Amino acid sequence: MSGLNLYALLGEPVHHSLSPALHNAAFKALQIDGLYVALRTWDELVGPLMRSLAVSGGGGNVTLPHKRAAADALDRASEDVRATGACNVFWWEECVGLCGDNTDVEAFCRAAEAVLGSSLEDRRVLVLGAGGAARAVVHGCVREGASGIDIVNRTRARAEGLARDLGSPANVSVLDELDARSPRTYDLVVNATSLGLAPSDPLPLDLGAVKCEAILDLVYGREGTRLVNAARDAAKRAEDGRRMLVEQATASFARWFDREPPREVMYEVVRLSD
C-alpha cells in the first residue's frame, strides 16, 4: 500500500459517491499504482488536503460544497475555473504548483447532448440552483450557444450573483419562481441543487410548472432519483447524474495522467450500480 499514489474525492456528503469505484476500476485496468478514496471534509481543510495529496504524487476531485474553496486554493486555475469560480479536479505540476480545472463544464455539455440527442445550441434551458454545479451548467450553456438560460434558486440574490460573475450574458435570466398556472417551455431542465441526495428530499421542481423535452438531474442514486423517476413517469426523457459523473471522471483522469482512461470500464461500473 505504501507505494500507491493517493487520490481522493473531497466533499460532504461523499458516502454515496461512485467515484472511488470508477477510478479504482480504471487504475486496475491500466495497472496504475493508485488508490482513490472518498474523504468527508470541511471548507477550511480543503486547500491543505488538496496540496498534500497533489504534492505527494496524487490528486483528486472536489464536490459539494467545497468547489469554491478549492478554486481559491489553486496556484494555477484553468479558464473554466476562472469563469465559474469553482474547481472540481486538482493535480500538481513542477514549477507551477497546485493546478485545477472545472471538468463539470465539459461533462455537463456531453451529458446534455446525450439526453437531448443534439447540442445545446439554440436550446432553452432551465437551471435549478446557483452553487458550483449550477455555475458550470450556466457557463456551459452560454459557451455552447443556448438561446436562453433561466435560473431559479431559493435565494434570488445568489442566482443574480452567479449571472453577474459570468458577465451577465444577455441570454441569462433569473426567475423568482415557477408557476404551474402558466408553465414555461424549455428544451432542457437541469437540477443543479443537492435535492435528491437523501430519499426524503422533496422534488426540486414541480413538473407541472414547466413544459420540457428532457430533464438532467446532476444528483444520482442507485435506484434513480425521485425527479428522474417522476419525469419518466410523465413520458419525458430523463437521466440522473451518472452519465455526467463518468464524463467528469474521464476528463479528470486525462488531467492526472495525460492519457485517455478506459471509458468502457468506467461505464460498466455505473451499469452494475443500477
Side-chain angles (χ1 to χ4, degrees), residues 67-68 71-72 74 76-88 100-106 109 130-144 151 158-169 172:
K67 295 179 182 181
R68 183 173 289 278
D72 291 340
L74 299 174
R76 186 177 71 186
S78 72
E79 180 180 344
D80 284 338
V81 170
R82 292 193 296 272
T84 62
C87 165
N88 77 322
D101 198 355
N102 188 343
T103 57
D104 282 339
V105 178
E106 176 184 337
C109 292
R135 287 171 180 268
V137 169
V138 175
H139 175 58
C141 289
V142 171
R143 192 179 74 178
E144 296 300 306
I151 308 170
R158 191 174 186 192
E160 290 175 338
L162 186 163
R164 190 166 50 248
D165 290 347
L166 292 177
S168 300
V172 176

CSV table of all heavy atoms in Angstrom, one decimal, residues 67-68 71-72 74 76-88 100-106 109 130-144 151 158-169 172:
chain,number,residue,atom,x,y,z
A,67,LYS,N,-16.4,23.4,-3.8
A,67,LYS,CA,-15.7,23.8,-5.1
A,67,LYS,C,-15.1,25.2,-5.2
A,67,LYS,O,-14.1,25.4,-5.8
A,67,LYS,CB,-16.7,23.5,-6.3
A,67,LYS,CG,-17.1,22.1,-6.4
A,67,LYS,CD,-18.1,21.9,-7.6
A,67,LYS,CE,-18.5,20.4,-7.7
A,67,LYS,NZ,-19.4,20.2,-8.8
A,68,ARG,N,-15.8,26.1,-4.5
A,68,ARG,CA,-15.2,27.5,-4.4
A,68,ARG,C,-14.0,27.5,-3.6
A,68,ARG,O,-13.0,28.2,-3.9
A,68,ARG,CB,-16.3,28.5,-3.9
A,68,ARG,CG,-15.8,29.9,-3.9
A,68,ARG,CD,-17.0,30.8,-3.5
A,68,ARG,NE,-17.9,30.9,-4.6
A,68,ARG,CZ,-17.8,31.7,-5.7
A,68,ARG,NH1,-16.7,32.5,-5.8
A,68,ARG,NH2,-18.8,31.8,-6.6
A,71,ALA,N,-11.2,26.3,-5.6
A,71,ALA,CA,-10.7,27.3,-6.6
A,71,ALA,C,-9.8,28.3,-5.9
A,71,ALA,O,-8.7,28.7,-6.5
A,71,ALA,CB,-11.9,28.0,-7.3
A,72,ASP,N,-10.1,28.7,-4.7
A,72,ASP,CA,-9.3,29.7,-4.0
A,72,ASP,C,-7.9,29.1,-3.6
A,72,ASP,O,-7.0,29.9,-3.4
A,72,ASP,CB,-10.0,30.1,-2.7
A,72,ASP,CG,-11.3,31.0,-3.1
A,72,ASP,OD1,-11.4,31.5,-4.2
A,72,ASP,OD2,-12.1,31.1,-2.2
A,74,LEU,N,-5.9,27.2,-5.4
A,74,LEU,CA,-5.0,26.9,-6.6
A,74,LEU,C,-3.9,27.9,-6.8
A,74,LEU,O,-4.1,29.1,-6.6
A,74,LEU,CB,-5.9,26.7,-7.8
A,74,LEU,CG,-7.0,25.7,-7.9
A,74,LEU,CD1,-7.8,25.8,-9.1
A,74,LEU,CD2,-6.4,24.3,-7.7
A,76,ARG,N,-2.5,27.6,-10.0
A,76,ARG,CA,-2.9,27.9,-11.4
A,76,ARG,C,-4.3,27.4,-11.7
A,76,ARG,O,-4.5,26.2,-11.5
A,76,ARG,CB,-1.9,27.4,-12.4
A,76,ARG,CG,-2.2,27.8,-13.8
A,76,ARG,CD,-1.2,27.3,-14.8
A,76,ARG,NE,-1.3,25.8,-15.0
A,76,ARG,CZ,-0.4,25.1,-15.7
A,76,ARG,NH1,0.7,25.7,-16.2
A,76,ARG,NH2,-0.6,23.8,-15.8
A,77,ALA,N,-5.2,28.2,-12.1
A,77,ALA,CA,-6.5,27.8,-12.4
A,77,ALA,C,-6.8,27.9,-13.9
A,77,ALA,O,-6.3,28.7,-14.6
A,77,ALA,CB,-7.5,28.8,-11.7
A,78,SER,N,-7.6,26.9,-14.4
A,78,SER,CA,-7.9,26.9,-15.8
A,78,SER,C,-8.9,28.0,-16.1
A,78,SER,O,-9.5,28.7,-15.2
A,78,SER,CB,-8.6,25.6,-16.2
A,78,SER,OG,-9.9,25.5,-15.6
A,79,GLU,N,-9.2,28.2,-17.4
A,79,GLU,CA,-10.1,29.2,-17.8
A,79,GLU,C,-11.5,28.9,-17.3
A,79,GLU,O,-12.3,29.8,-16.9
A,79,GLU,CB,-10.2,29.3,-19.4
A,79,GLU,CG,-11.2,30.3,-19.9
A,79,GLU,CD,-11.2,30.4,-21.4
A,79,GLU,OE1,-10.2,29.8,-22.1
A,79,GLU,OE2,-12.1,30.9,-22.0
A,80,ASP,N,-11.9,27.7,-17.3
A,80,ASP,CA,-13.2,27.3,-16.8
A,80,ASP,C,-13.3,27.5,-15.3
A,80,ASP,O,-14.4,27.9,-14.8
A,80,ASP,CB,-13.6,25.8,-17.1
A,80,ASP,CG,-14.0,25.7,-18.6
A,80,ASP,OD1,-14.4,26.7,-19.2
A,80,ASP,OD2,-13.9,24.5,-19.1
A,81,VAL,N,-12.3,27.3,-14.5
A,81,VAL,CA,-12.3,27.7,-13.1
A,81,VAL,C,-12.4,29.2,-12.9
A,81,VAL,O,-13.2,29.6,-12.1
A,81,VAL,CB,-11.0,27.2,-12.4
A,81,VAL,CG1,-10.9,27.7,-11.0
A,81,VAL,CG2,-11.0,25.6,-12.3
A,82,ARG,N,-11.7,29.9,-13.7
A,82,ARG,CA,-11.8,31.4,-13.5
A,82,ARG,C,-13.2,31.9,-13.9
A,82,ARG,O,-13.7,32.8,-13.3
A,82,ARG,CB,-10.7,32.1,-14.4
A,82,ARG,CG,-9.3,31.8,-13.9
A,82,ARG,CD,-8.3,32.7,-14.6
A,82,ARG,NE,-8.3,32.5,-16.1
A,82,ARG,CZ,-7.5,31.6,-16.7
A,82,ARG,NH1,-6.6,30.9,-15.9
A,82,ARG,NH2,-7.5,31.5,-18.0
A,83,ALA,N,-13.8,31.3,-14.9
A,83,ALA,CA,-15.1,31.7,-15.3
A,83,ALA,C,-16.2,31.3,-14.3
A,83,ALA,O,-17.2,32.1,-14.1
A,83,ALA,CB,-15.5,31.1,-16.7
A,84,THR,N,-16.1,30.2,-13.7
A,84,THR,CA,-17.1,29.7,-12.8
A,84,THR,C,-16.9,29.9,-11.3
A,84,THR,O,-17.8,29.8,-10.5
A,84,THR,CB,-17.3,28.2,-13.0
A,84,THR,OG1,-16.1,27.5,-12.6
A,84,THR,CG2,-17.7,27.8,-14.4
A,85,GLY,N,-15.6,30.2,-11.0
A,85,GLY,CA,-15.2,30.3,-9.6
A,85,GLY,C,-15.3,29.0,-8.8
A,85,GLY,O,-15.3,29.0,-7.6
A,86,ALA,N,-15.2,27.9,-9.6
A,86,ALA,CA,-15.3,26.6,-8.9
A,86,ALA,C,-14.3,25.6,-9.5
A,86,ALA,O,-14.1,25.7,-10.7
A,86,ALA,CB,-16.8,26.0,-9.1
A,87,CYS,N,-13.8,24.8,-8.7
A,87,CYS,CA,-12.8,23.8,-9.1
A,87,CYS,C,-13.2,22.4,-8.7
A,87,CYS,O,-13.7,22.2,-7.5
A,87,CYS,CB,-11.4,24.1,-8.5
A,87,CYS,SG,-10.2,22.7,-8.6
A,88,ASN,N,-13.2,21.4,-9.6
A,88,ASN,CA,-13.6,20.1,-9.2
A,88,ASN,C,-12.5,19.0,-9.4
A,88,ASN,O,-12.7,17.8,-9.1
A,88,ASN,CB,-14.9,19.7,-9.9
A,88,ASN,CG,-14.6,19.2,-11.3
A,88,ASN,OD1,-13.8,19.8,-12.0
A,88,ASN,ND2,-15.4,18.2,-11.8
A,100,GLY,N,-5.7,23.3,-11.1
A,100,GLY,CA,-7.0,22.8,-11.1
A,100,GLY,C,-7.8,23.2,-12.3
A,100,GLY,O,-7.5,24.1,-13.0
A,101,ASP,N,-8.9,22.4,-12.5
A,101,ASP,CA,-9.8,22.7,-13.6
A,101,ASP,C,-11.2,22.4,-13.1
A,101,ASP,O,-11.5,21.9,-12.1
A,101,ASP,CB,-9.4,21.7,-14.8
A,101,ASP,CG,-10.0,22.2,-16.1
A,101,ASP,OD1,-10.7,23.2,-16.2
A,101,ASP,OD2,-9.7,21.5,-17.1
A,102,ASN,N,-12.2,22.8,-14.0
A,102,ASN,CA,-13.6,22.6,-13.7
A,102,ASN,C,-14.1,21.7,-14.9
A,102,ASN,O,-14.6,22.2,-15.9
A,102,ASN,CB,-14.4,23.8,-13.6
A,102,ASN,CG,-15.8,23.6,-13.1
A,102,ASN,OD1,-16.3,22.4,-13.2
A,102,ASN,ND2,-16.5,24.6,-12.6
A,103,THR,N,-13.9,20.4,-14.7
A,103,THR,CA,-14.4,19.5,-15.8
A,103,THR,C,-15.9,19.2,-15.8
A,103,THR,O,-16.4,18.6,-16.6
A,103,THR,CB,-13.6,18.1,-15.7
A,103,THR,OG1,-13.8,17.6,-14.4
A,103,THR,CG2,-12.1,18.3,-15.9
A,104,ASP,N,-16.6,19.8,-14.8
A,104,ASP,CA,-18.0,19.7,-14.8
A,104,ASP,C,-18.6,20.4,-16.0
A,104,ASP,O,-19.7,20.0,-16.5
A,104,ASP,CB,-18.6,20.4,-13.5
A,104,ASP,CG,-18.5,19.6,-12.3
A,104,ASP,OD1,-18.4,18.3,-12.4
A,104,ASP,OD2,-18.6,20.1,-11.2
A,105,VAL,N,-17.9,21.4,-16.5
A,105,VAL,CA,-18.4,22.1,-17.7
A,105,VAL,C,-18.4,21.2,-18.9
A,105,VAL,O,-19.4,21.0,-19.6
A,105,VAL,CB,-17.5,23.4,-18.0
A,105,VAL,CG1,-18.0,24.1,-19.3
A,105,VAL,CG2,-17.5,24.3,-16.8
A,106,GLU,N,-17.3,20.6,-19.2
A,106,GLU,CA,-17.2,19.6,-20.3
A,106,GLU,C,-18.1,18.5,-20.1
A,106,GLU,O,-18.8,18.0,-21.0
A,106,GLU,CB,-15.7,19.2,-20.4
A,106,GLU,CG,-15.4,18.1,-21.4
A,106,GLU,CD,-14.0,17.6,-21.3
A,106,GLU,OE1,-13.1,18.4,-20.8
A,106,GLU,OE2,-13.7,16.5,-21.8
A,109,CYS,N,-21.9,19.4,-20.7
A,109,CYS,CA,-22.2,19.6,-22.1
A,109,CYS,C,-22.4,18.2,-22.8
A,109,CYS,O,-23.3,18.0,-23.6
A,109,CYS,CB,-21.1,20.4,-22.8
A,109,CYS,SG,-21.1,22.1,-22.3
A,130,ALA,N,-27.9,27.6,-7.7
A,130,ALA,CA,-26.9,28.6,-8.0
A,130,ALA,C,-25.6,28.4,-7.4
A,130,ALA,O,-24.8,29.3,-7.1
A,130,ALA,CB,-27.5,30.0,-7.6
A,131,GLY,N,-25.3,27.1,-7.1
A,131,GLY,CA,-24.0,26.8,-6.5
A,131,GLY,C,-22.9,26.5,-7.5
A,131,GLY,O,-23.0,26.8,-8.7
A,132,GLY,N,-21.9,25.7,-7.1
A,132,GLY,CA,-20.8,25.4,-8.0
A,132,GLY,C,-21.2,24.6,-9.3
A,132,GLY,O,-20.8,24.9,-10.4
A,133,ALA,N,-22.1,23.7,-9.1
A,133,ALA,CA,-22.5,22.9,-10.2
A,133,ALA,C,-23.3,23.7,-11.2
A,133,ALA,O,-23.2,23.6,-12.4
A,133,ALA,CB,-23.4,21.7,-9.7
A,134,ALA,N,-24.2,24.6,-10.6
A,134,ALA,CA,-25.0,25.5,-11.5
A,134,ALA,C,-24.1,26.4,-12.3
A,134,ALA,O,-24.4,26.7,-13.5
A,134,ALA,CB,-26.0,26.2,-10.6
A,135,ARG,N,-23.1,26.9,-11.7
A,135,ARG,CA,-22.2,27.8,-12.4
A,135,ARG,C,-21.6,27.1,-13.6
A,135,ARG,O,-21.5,27.6,-14.7
A,135,ARG,CB,-21.0,28.3,-11.5
A,135,ARG,CG,-21.5,29.3,-10.5
A,135,ARG,CD,-20.4,29.6,-9.5
A,135,ARG,NE,-21.0,30.6,-8.5
A,135,ARG,CZ,-20.8,31.9,-8.7
A,135,ARG,NH1,-20.1,32.4,-9.7
A,135,ARG,NH2,-21.3,32.8,-7.8
A,136,ALA,N,-21.2,25.8,-13.5
A,136,ALA,CA,-20.7,25.0,-14.6
A,136,ALA,C,-21.7,24.8,-15.7
A,136,ALA,O,-21.4,24.9,-16.9
A,136,ALA,CB,-20.2,23.7,-14.1
A,137,VAL,N,-22.9,24.6,-15.2
A,137,VAL,CA,-24.0,24.4,-16.2
A,137,VAL,C,-24.3,25.6,-17.0
A,137,VAL,O,-24.4,25.6,-18.2
A,137,VAL,CB,-25.3,23.9,-15.5
A,137,VAL,CG1,-26.5,23.9,-16.4
A,137,VAL,CG2,-25.1,22.5,-14.9
A,138,VAL,N,-24.5,26.8,-16.3
A,138,VAL,CA,-24.8,28.0,-17.0
A,138,VAL,C,-23.7,28.4,-17.9
A,138,VAL,O,-23.9,28.8,-19.1
A,138,VAL,CB,-25.1,29.1,-16.0
A,138,VAL,CG1,-25.3,30.5,-16.7
A,138,VAL,CG2,-26.4,28.8,-15.2
A,139,HIS,N,-22.4,28.3,-17.4
A,139,HIS,CA,-21.3,28.6,-18.3
A,139,HIS,C,-21.2,27.7,-19.5
A,139,HIS,O,-21.0,28.2,-20.6
A,139,HIS,CB,-20.0,28.5,-17.4
A,139,HIS,CG,-18.7,28.7,-18.2
A,139,HIS,ND1,-18.4,29.8,-18.9
A,139,HIS,CD2,-17.7,27.8,-18.4
A,139,HIS,CE1,-17.2,29.7,-19.5
A,139,HIS,NE2,-16.8,28.5,-19.2
A,140,GLY,N,-21.5,26.4,-19.3
A,140,GLY,CA,-21.5,25.5,-20.5
A,140,GLY,C,-22.6,25.9,-21.5
A,140,GLY,O,-22.4,25.8,-22.7
A,141,CYS,N,-23.8,26.2,-21.0
A,141,CYS,CA,-24.9,26.6,-21.9
A,141,CYS,C,-24.5,27.9,-22.7
A,141,CYS,O,-24.8,27.9,-23.9
A,141,CYS,CB,-26.2,26.9,-21.0
A,141,CYS,SG,-26.9,25.4,-20.4
A,142,VAL,N,-23.9,28.8,-22.0
A,142,VAL,CA,-23.5,30.1,-22.7
A,142,VAL,C,-22.5,29.8,-23.7
A,142,VAL,O,-22.6,30.2,-24.9
A,142,VAL,CB,-23.0,31.1,-21.7
A,142,VAL,CG1,-22.4,32.3,-22.4
A,142,VAL,CG2,-24.2,31.6,-20.8
A,143,ARG,N,-21.5,29.0,-23.3
A,143,ARG,CA,-20.4,28.6,-24.2
A,143,ARG,C,-20.9,27.9,-25.5
A,143,ARG,O,-20.4,28.1,-26.6
A,143,ARG,CB,-19.4,27.8,-23.5
A,143,ARG,CG,-18.1,27.6,-24.2
A,143,ARG,CD,-17.1,26.8,-23.4
A,143,ARG,NE,-17.5,25.4,-23.4
A,143,ARG,CZ,-16.7,24.4,-22.8
A,143,ARG,NH1,-15.7,24.7,-22.1
A,143,ARG,NH2,-17.1,23.1,-22.8
A,144,GLU,N,-21.9,27.0,-25.3
A,144,GLU,CA,-22.4,26.2,-26.4
A,144,GLU,C,-23.5,26.9,-27.2
A,144,GLU,O,-24.0,26.3,-28.2
A,144,GLU,CB,-22.9,24.9,-25.9
A,144,GLU,CG,-21.9,24.0,-25.2
A,144,GLU,CD,-20.7,23.6,-26.2
A,144,GLU,OE1,-21.0,23.1,-27.3
A,144,GLU,OE2,-19.6,23.9,-25.8
A,151,ILE,N,-32.5,30.9,-14.5
A,151,ILE,CA,-32.0,30.3,-13.3
A,151,ILE,C,-33.0,30.5,-12.2
A,151,ILE,O,-33.6,31.6,-12.0
A,151,ILE,CB,-30.7,31.0,-12.8
A,151,ILE,CG1,-29.6,31.0,-14.0
A,151,ILE,CG2,-30.1,30.3,-11.6
A,151,ILE,CD1,-28.4,31.8,-13.7
A,158,ARG,N,-28.4,35.1,-4.7
A,158,ARG,CA,-27.2,34.2,-5.1
A,158,ARG,C,-27.3,33.9,-6.6
A,158,ARG,O,-26.3,33.8,-7.3
A,158,ARG,CB,-27.3,32.9,-4.3
A,158,ARG,CG,-26.0,32.0,-4.4
A,158,ARG,CD,-26.0,30.8,-3.5
A,158,ARG,NE,-24.8,30.2,-3.6
A,158,ARG,CZ,-24.5,29.0,-3.1
A,158,ARG,NH1,-25.5,28.3,-2.5
A,158,ARG,NH2,-23.3,28.4,-3.2
A,159,ALA,N,-28.5,33.7,-7.1
A,159,ALA,CA,-28.6,33.4,-8.6
A,159,ALA,C,-28.2,34.7,-9.4
A,159,ALA,O,-27.5,34.6,-10.4
A,159,ALA,CB,-30.1,33.1,-8.9
A,160,GLU,N,-28.6,35.9,-8.9
A,160,GLU,CA,-28.1,37.1,-9.6
A,160,GLU,C,-26.6,37.2,-9.5
A,160,GLU,O,-26.0,37.7,-10.5
A,160,GLU,CB,-28.8,38.3,-8.9
A,160,GLU,CG,-30.3,38.4,-9.2
A,160,GLU,CD,-31.0,39.5,-8.4
A,160,GLU,OE1,-30.4,39.9,-7.4
A,160,GLU,OE2,-32.1,39.9,-8.8
A,161,GLY,N,-26.0,36.8,-8.4
A,161,GLY,CA,-24.6,36.8,-8.3
A,161,GLY,C,-23.9,35.9,-9.2
A,161,GLY,O,-22.9,36.2,-9.8
A,162,LEU,N,-24.5,34.7,-9.5
A,162,LEU,CA,-24.0,33.8,-10.4
A,162,LEU,C,-24.0,34.4,-11.8
A,162,LEU,O,-22.9,34.4,-12.5
A,162,LEU,CB,-24.8,32.5,-10.4
A,162,LEU,CG,-24.4,31.3,-11.3
A,162,LEU,CD1,-25.1,30.1,-10.8
A,162,LEU,CD2,-24.6,31.5,-12.8
A,163,ALA,N,-25.1,35.0,-12.2
A,163,ALA,CA,-25.2,35.6,-13.6
A,163,ALA,C,-24.2,36.8,-13.7
A,163,ALA,O,-23.5,36.9,-14.7
A,163,ALA,CB,-26.6,36.1,-13.8
A,164,ARG,N,-24.0,37.6,-12.6
A,164,ARG,CA,-23.1,38.7,-12.6
A,164,ARG,C,-21.7,38.2,-12.7
A,164,ARG,O,-20.9,38.8,-13.5
A,164,ARG,CB,-23.3,39.5,-11.4
A,164,ARG,CG,-22.6,40.9,-11.4
A,164,ARG,CD,-23.2,41.8,-10.3
A,164,ARG,NE,-23.2,41.1,-8.9
A,164,ARG,CZ,-24.3,40.7,-8.3
A,164,ARG,NH1,-25.5,41.0,-8.9
A,164,ARG,NH2,-24.3,40.2,-7.1
A,165,ASP,N,-21.3,37.2,-12.0
A,165,ASP,CA,-20.0,36.6,-12.0
A,165,ASP,C,-19.6,36.1,-13.4
A,165,ASP,O,-18.4,36.1,-13.8
A,165,ASP,CB,-19.8,35.5,-11.0
A,165,ASP,CG,-19.8,36.1,-9.6
A,165,ASP,OD1,-19.7,37.3,-9.4
A,165,ASP,OD2,-20.0,35.2,-8.6
A,166,LEU,N,-20.6,35.6,-14.2
A,166,LEU,CA,-20.3,35.1,-15.5
A,166,LEU,C,-20.4,36.2,-16.6
A,166,LEU,O,-20.4,36.0,-17.8
A,166,LEU,CB,-21.4,34.0,-15.9
A,166,LEU,CG,-21.2,32.7,-15.1
A,166,LEU,CD1,-22.3,31.8,-15.4
A,166,LEU,CD2,-19.9,32.1,-15.3
A,167,GLY,N,-20.5,37.5,-16.1
A,167,GLY,CA,-20.5,38.6,-17.1
A,167,GLY,C,-21.9,39.1,-17.5
A,167,GLY,O,-22.0,39.8,-18.5
A,168,SER,N,-22.9,38.6,-16.8
A,168,SER,CA,-24.3,39.0,-17.1
A,168,SER,C,-24.6,38.8,-18.6
A,168,SER,O,-25.0,39.7,-19.3
A,168,SER,CB,-24.6,40.4,-16.7
A,168,SER,OG,-24.4,40.6,-15.3
A,169,PRO,N,-24.5,37.6,-19.1
A,169,PRO,CA,-24.8,37.3,-20.5
A,169,PRO,C,-26.2,37.7,-20.8
A,169,PRO,O,-27.1,37.5,-20.0
A,169,PRO,CB,-24.6,35.8,-20.7
A,169,PRO,CG,-23.7,35.4,-19.6
A,169,PRO,CD,-24.1,36.3,-18.4
A,172,VAL,N,-29.1,35.1,-20.3
A,172,VAL,CA,-29.3,34.5,-18.9
A,172,VAL,C,-30.2,35.4,-18.1
A,172,VAL,O,-30.0,36.6,-18.0
A,172,VAL,CB,-27.9,34.4,-18.2
A,172,VAL,CG1,-28.1,33.9,-16.8
A,172,VAL,CG2,-27.0,33.4,-18.9
